[in-house]
Amino acid sequence: MTRHITETDVRAAGPFAKVDMPADIARMKASLLKDIRRSAYVYRVDCGGCNACEIEIFASITPVFDAERFGIKVVASPRHADILLFTGAVTRAMRMPAMRAYEAAPDPKIVVSYGACGVSGGIFHDLYCTWGGTDKIVPVDVYIPGCPPTPAATVYGFAVALGLLGQKLKAETHVQADGERVPLAHPSIPYDLRVHIEREARRMAGYRQGGDIAERFLVMLEQPGIVPLTDRLAKFVAAEQDPRTAEILARLGEVVTGAIA
Amino acid sequence: MHAPLTKPDTTRIGSATIAELRRKLPHAVLDESWQTPTQATITVKLDDLPNVVSTLYHEHDGWLSVMAGNDERSINGNFALYYALSMEGAEKSFIVVRAEVPAATEEFPSVTPLVPAAVWHEREVRDMFGLRPVGLPDERRLVLPDDWPEHLHPLRKDAMDYRLRPEPTGDDETYRFVNDAESETTVVPLGPLHITSDEPGHFRLFVDGEDIIDADYRMFYVHRGMEKVAETRMGYNEVTFLADRVCGICGYAHSVAYTTSIENALGVQVPERAQAIRAILLETERMHSHLLNLGLACHFVGFDTGFMQFFRVREKAMTLAELLTGSRKTYALNLIGGVRRDILGEQKAETLRIVSELREEVTRLVEMLLATPNLEGRVKGVGLLDPQIAREYSPVGPCVRGSGHKRDTRVDHPFAGYGRTTFPVHTGEGCDVLSRTLVRVGEFFDSLSIIEQILADAPGGPVLTEDFTYRPHKFALGFTEAPRGEDVHWSMTGDNQKLFRWRCRASTYANWPVLRWMLRGNTVSDAPLIVASIDPCYSCTDRVTVVDVKKAVSKTVPYKEMERYCRERTNSPLK
């Protein structure tokens, strides 16, 4: 017997998502921020994260990044906290513990949603055992995205939460002009051959480095000249210092000579 | 005596063990199939299941790696159970014992009374598939949350959509904690929120004064439903990125275990260079994870300078990961058939430079740590894991190696690029926190040497093969040695370009059940240290409610107080 899914089954969050907010919460938060500017206490609430976020928070508060130099301190109890940091996609089992932690923190409190899962549920956004992000259970003030956010992003996010920096948002819209076309890369090389070279480069060195190496190779192929192809290829490979890159270039050369033969 | 039904095949490692099994239990084995030359699946009669698993476990040096349930009603009309055993005796191989559970009865004889290591797996199968292990005394839920409705089993193919979110059945936790103590004890709950790091989990310590008499725990606060989404929303390659997110610390190990399971199932020949790169990254992950644990060990014995120093040095391992993968965590580097990034000359040189820096710095730090007088006093003889208990529950990684068992997947079942390297398996005889810590120290330096060995003669050629097609209903195991021990994945391909079933067993899953014995007989102030010594992707606890049964009063102690007590050991919060 299959249970068919209905709108009420696949809901963002249940009727429990009610948090009482004082009427002048904005003013209260503003005055809190004024008070805690160089001394903010943060309590971490793990709502079912995978630990990557927790570990990066750890990295942020230890010597190399050292968020404590900005007065940001991780505390042991929500009762001491000015800022609550929620990580994880909010699993069913963590809903009540997370709510209790939220209620235990004194008002007004700043809520930061940390990591892709906290921000939106991330890769787990629609699973049966999660509620899909911090803002499904409590109101959120600042989002720090990333999977996981780097320590630098974490420190930046704290600065945003404390009102030291603004949230960096930039929108750009490009409208296609009349006759505007994306130029074709390497038009003088047959399309099939180019794809063949790029795929081989990806198999040899992956997307990132393979892409770079294929690009260098194609630029070389396009250069005009009367030197025979095999000589040019041999010279190009011999000029390469790194033996591994030379191996990949030689393999791309074989692809070209194989296609011509 | 019955003659073996098939002649032992010398190219197939493990066939002699199966032949032996057939002699001992002549009518039990119905079918035998081979996924790889070192991986066999034998289908047995349901009634013989406990005997077969127990025979392999106790008479042929088998260790229970994972048990996977599977809803095969659309294939053969039954449910199936796969008990995967890592055979570590004369023949090092994997033998998977498969039994079909009729859809009409939904019952199977529990293996747990004979092999205690199966207990969590059988509880999980009851939660997720609704199959009843007959004879399993523990009837509590394991994976599903307390507010989940009865009789809704997520992994049954016809039970529910992966997005179904049933109304919570209540707002209270209803889990019953078990206490074997004979006299009156005080209850000390820890968690589920923890201050220092990592996953939620709830502990109950049953204490008499300062001594822990018994302990029980409720895990799976982070159950998200990954196995279900892998077989519904995602394709094969997407699951490699999902597997990265099983654990934020050793995610790459899961990703490799998953891709290996599919590659084994389909017989994909992964290029050697890709295998070597996987091994390098697994060791990079091990380095940062072990440094993390060593740092926490310092923290818990009250040596915070060491904690900060280890974390400072650990950043070098993170830089290395970023150099080789582009990310500090969740590397997203695997595809079925290879990897997505190469290591070119420039990265190789930089890697070798970081490796030598790490060796120098960590050597100094470890000397400093071991010369700190209060370390030995705090960790020696604490948190004993009896080798016999370890044998019964199949724990993995430094946890079991610290108790003298020489188990390391990298050596027992070489995978990825480990076949091209040599390194010792570190074991400790002390069975205590100190042994486990020293095993990690040894392994950290091995990781450096493994990376150097592989880089010195890395094979050439491609890093990815696309020369294969997916075939339905093929299955196999994939395994890696994560920093915390063996990760095992069992995957079965489907007929719709998606997995039919993915069972992922993290290393800590195998280590939790023994923790109860490790805590018994120690003092409350050592509890966070002992928990941290299995490196459970999580290390300490939020606050402690003390319920004194004798005085019938309850008292809540903040975690900080608990942690302070662990570090300073003065002014007990329980008084």
Side-chain angles (χ1 to χ4, degrees):
Chain A
M1 177 201 73
T2 307
R3 265 177 85 167
H4 289 286
I5 205 92
T6 64
E7 273 300 307
T8 47
D9 286 332
V10 189
R11 59 180 179 273
F16 49 78
K18 274 195 204 115
V19 173
D20 289 331
M21 284 289 236
D24 58 344
I25 187 70
R27 187 194 56 75
M28 287 167 70
K29 275 187 186 169
S31 83
L32 171 77
L33 282 175
K34 223 171 112 214
D35 291 343
I36 63 172
R37 194 149 271 222
R38 297 290 287 184
S39 168
Y41 281 12
V42 178
Y43 181 73
R44 229 176 33 71
V45 187
D46 180 339
C47 309
C50 71
N51 289 350
C53 286
E54 286 71 24
I55 292 299
E56 290 296 57
I57 293 169
F58 239 149
S60 318
I61 59 169
T62 45
V64 175
F65 293 93
D66 194 14
E68 285 192 17
R69 69 197 146 124
F70 304 114
I72 297 160
K73 190 161 167 47
V74 175
V75 293
S77 163
R79 296 195 189 282
H80 303 161
D82 306 306
I83 298 179
L84 291 174
L85 192 64
F86 284 77
T87 61
V90 187
T91 57
R92 289 180 74 96
M94 281 312 291
R95 173 176 63 91
M96 285 318 292
M99 291 296 287
R100 284 200 292 267
Y102 179 83
E103 279 156 18
D107 272 327
K109 48 212 162 199
I110 311 286
V111 174
V112 178
S113 179
Y114 189 88
C117 292
V119 170
S120 66
I123 201 168
F124 308 111
H125 68 98
D126 57 354
L127 306 199
Y128 64 88
C129 225
T130 71
W131 294 112
T134 313
D135 55 10
K136 304 300 187 302
I137 57 166
V138 294
V140 174
D141 296 299
V142 174
Y143 295 90
I144 306 180
C147 187
T150 60
T154 308
V155 174
Y156 183 89
F158 281 136
V160 172
L162 290 173
L164 303 175
L165 293 169
Q167 187 117 32
K168 201 191 270 176
L169 292 171
K170 198 169 84 177
E172 250 178 53
T173 313
H174 182 83
V175 181
Q176 190 179 354
D178 277 345
E180 186 182 340
R181 288 280 177 275
V182 178
L184 195 65
H186 308 291
S188 63
I189 296 169
Y191 178 74
D192 284 353
L193 178 63
R194 198 192 93 206
V195 170
H196 206 43
I197 289 171
E198 285 171 347
R199 287 199 178 151
E200 187 61 25
R202 181 166 71 87
R203 271 193 290 273
M204 289 299 288
Y207 294 78
R208 176 76 179 75
Q209 291 135 322
D212 290 350
I213 292 172
E215 182 63 26
R216 267 178 66 203
F217 187 83
L218 292 168
V219 168
M220 181 275 297
L221 272 192
E222 274 190 322
Q223 276 164 6
I226 51 160
V227 186
L229 180 66
T230 45
D231 295 354
R232 268 169 69 194
L233 290 174
K235 200 174 155 210
F236 187 58
V237 173
E240 175 58 48
Q241 300 281 315
D242 172 25
R244 173 62 185 167
T245 312
E247 182 195 345
I248 297 162
L249 290 173
R251 178 74 200 106
L252 298 183
E254 285 166 28
V255 169
V256 175
T257 47
I260 292 169
Chain B
M1 221 34 156
H2 290 257
L5 296 175
T6 48
K7 257 176 82 176
D9 184 340
T10 46
T11 60
R12 289 175 161 174
I13 300 166
S15 52
T17 311
I18 296 176
E20 187 91 350
L21 180 75
R22 282 177 188 269
R23 264 195 296 277
K24 187 175 178 226
L25 301 166
H27 302 294
V29 180
L30 303 173
D31 186 36
E32 178 180 332
S33 68
W34 289 79
Q35 282 74 47
T36 72
T38 58
Q39 234 182 79
T41 299
I42 50 173
T43 303
V44 302
K45 283 186 198 152
L46 189 59
D47 291 341
D48 289 318
L49 174 69
N51 268 333
V52 172
V53 174
S54 166
T55 305
L56 290 172
Y57 195 97
H58 293 114
E59 292 170 27
H60 297 278
D61 290 313
W63 295 72
L64 188 68
S65 284
V66 64
M67 189 270 263
N70 196 9
D71 181 357
E72 297 182 359
R73 286 175 295 171
S74 57
I75 304 174
N76 55 35
N78 296 318
F79 292 95
L81 302 173
Y82 296 80
Y83 288 75
L85 291 117
S86 163
M87 309 306 296
E88 294 170 18
E91 287 187 309
K92 297 207 186 294
S93 70
F94 276 99
I95 297 182
V96 182
V97 181
R98 175 178 182 273
E100 291 187 357
V101 180
T105 62
E106 299 180 353
E107 282 184 349
F108 65 98
S110 171
V111 174
T112 307
L114 297 179
V115 181
V119 60
W120 273 32
H121 300 284
E122 293 187 345
R123 286 171 68 187
E124 178 164 351
V125 138
R126 185 179 49 213
D127 281 8
M128 303 307 276
F129 290 93
L131 303 177
R132 282 182 302 280
V134 177
L136 178 68
D138 195 336
E139 300 212 322
R140 298 169 300 165
R141 277 184 183 176
L142 180 71
V143 178
L144 291 176
D146 293 344
D147 70 357
W148 188 261
E150 291 272 338
H151 309 302
L152 180 58
H153 305 291
L155 284 181
R156 287 191 176 204
K157 293 281 178 195
D158 59 357
M160 52 178 249
D161 188 284
Y162 76 94
R163 291 164 298 178
L164 179 83
R165 287 172 176 165
E167 198 68 41
T169 56
D171 284 349
D172 299 316
E173 285 89 347
T174 53
Y175 194 76
R176 282 178 294 110
F177 291 87
V178 171
N179 177 7
D180 280 353
E182 281 159 12
S183 57
E184 275 184 303
T185 50
T186 303
V187 184
V188 182
L190 307 174
L193 283 171
H194 309 282
I195 162 224
T196 313
S197 88
D198 303 354
E199 280 171 48
H202 188 108
F203 282 73
R204 286 278 158 100
L205 302 180
F206 301 98
V207 302
D208 181 2
E210 293 288 321
D211 299 323
I212 302 172
I213 307 300
D214 202 353
D216 196 10
Y217 18 86
R218 170 72 163 137
M219 293 290 134
F220 297 91
Y221 281 89
V222 291
H223 177 71
R224 291 158 290 190
M226 293 176 109
E227 291 179 355
K228 183 83 176 173
V229 77
E231 61 194 51
T232 48
R233 195 178 76 196
M234 295 187 166
Y236 294 112
N237 275 328
E238 284 79 54
V239 177
T240 61
F241 309 127
L242 179 70
D244 264 334
R245 286 156 180 83
V246 169
C247 170
I249 303 175
C250 47
Y252 189 69
H254 282 285
S255 186
V256 173
Y258 161 72
T259 43
T260 314
S261 72
I262 297 290
E263 286 153 5
N264 282 342
L266 299 171
V268 177
Q269 294 298 321
V270 180
E272 292 213 355
R273 189 168 179 87
Q275 302 277 31
I277 291 174
R278 284 180 182 175
I280 288 174
L281 291 173
L282 285 170
E283 293 310 313
T284 306
E285 196 171 68
R286 188 181 324 279
M287 290 196 301
H288 96 74
S289 176
H290 279 359
L291 288 179
L292 174 86
N293 187 265
L294 291 174
L296 288 177
C298 293
H299 179 61
F300 285 117
V301 299
F303 180 37
D304 264 338
T305 313
F307 168 70
M308 287 295 177
Q309 291 287 358
F310 273 110
F311 266 74
R312 176 180 63 78
V313 173
R314 178 178 166 273
E315 280 299 319
K316 289 188 197 292
M318 303 304 279
T319 310
L320 179 58
E322 196 168 358
L323 170 80
L324 296 178
T325 70
S327 356
R328 291 161 54 90
K329 300 239 65 357
T330 48
Y331 304 156
L333 213 72
N334 278 329
L335 290 176
I336 310 290
V339 295
R340 301 170 73 226
R341 242 182 211 248
D342 195 8
I343 298 177
L344 299 180
E346 201 185 323
Q347 282 110 2
K348 180 177 161 180
E350 184 66 8
T351 303
L352 291 172
R353 192 186 64 75
I354 295 177
V355 162
S356 76
E357 270 184 26
L358 272 169
R359 180 176 283 128
E360 193 187 316
E361 292 237 31
V362 176
T363 307
R364 227 173 31 226
L365 281 184
V366 168
E367 275 170 17
M368 186 170 92
L369 174 65
L370 297 180
T372 305
N374 72 344
L375 175 82
E376 196 173 289
R378 286 304 308 278
V379 295
K380 197 168 185 183
V382 169
L384 292 177
L385 173 59
D386 186 300
Q388 193 50 42
I389 298 282
R391 183 67 191 88
E392 278 172 32
Y393 282 88
S394 292
V396 294
C399 184
V400 71
R401 290 196 281 274
S403 287
H405 290 286
K406 216 171 175 148
R407 304 188 66 196
D408 189 326
T409 317
R410 295 175 293 174
V411 173
D412 295 333
H413 312 286
F415 58 94
Y418 289 107
R420 9 178 16 99
T421 60
T422 49
F423 55 94
V425 177
H426 293 276
T427 55
E429 297 304 323
C431 311
D432 52 4
V433 176
L434 179 63
S435 293
R436 295 190 276 277
T437 305
L438 291 179
V439 164
R440 288 197 181 93
V441 169
E443 288 178 5
F444 173 83
F445 291 109
D446 288 351
S447 295
L448 297 173
S449 132
I450 290 171
I451 292 177
E452 286 172 337
Q453 286 179 42
I454 293 178
L455 281 178
D457 72 325
V463 296
L464 178 69
T465 176
E466 294 170 316
D467 193 15
F468 61 92
T469 50
Y470 291 102
R471 283 162 289 137
H473 304 143
K474 297 282 171 201
F475 57 87
L477 287 167
F479 35 86
T480 51
E481 183 75 17
R484 288 157 191 75
E486 171 200 62
D487 280 345
V488 183
H489 290 219
W490 185 91
S491 307
M492 183 189 247
T493 57
D495 54 8
N496 54 354
Q497 290 298 315
K498 285 175 185 168
L499 287 160
F500 188 83
R501 172 85 170 101
W502 175 47
R503 170 82 168 98
C504 147
R505 201 275 283 144
S507 36
T508 307
Y509 188 100
N511 285 340
W512 279 124
V514 290
L515 185 64
R516 186 177 182 192
W517 279 270
M518 289 157 68
L519 286 168
R520 282 182 188 175
N522 290 283
T523 60
V524 174
S525 66
D526 287 329
L529 182 63
I530 295 168
V531 176
S533 80
I534 74 167
D535 200 5
C537 290
Y538 136 129
S539 50
C540 57
T541 41
D542 169 45
R543 58 193 184 144
V544 183
T545 306
V546 182
V547 183
D548 192 321
V549 180
K550 287 173 191 161
K551 296 181 201 151
V553 290
S554 94
K555 177 179 169 194
T556 299
V557 185
Y559 170 76
K560 198 75 176 174
E561 183 63 15
M562 188 74 184
E563 195 188 293
R564 179 201 60 74
Y565 185 44
C566 177
R567 284 156 46 194
E568 298 169 11
R569 307 190 91 187
T570 52
N571 303 327
S572 167
L574 302 186
K575 277 174 190 150

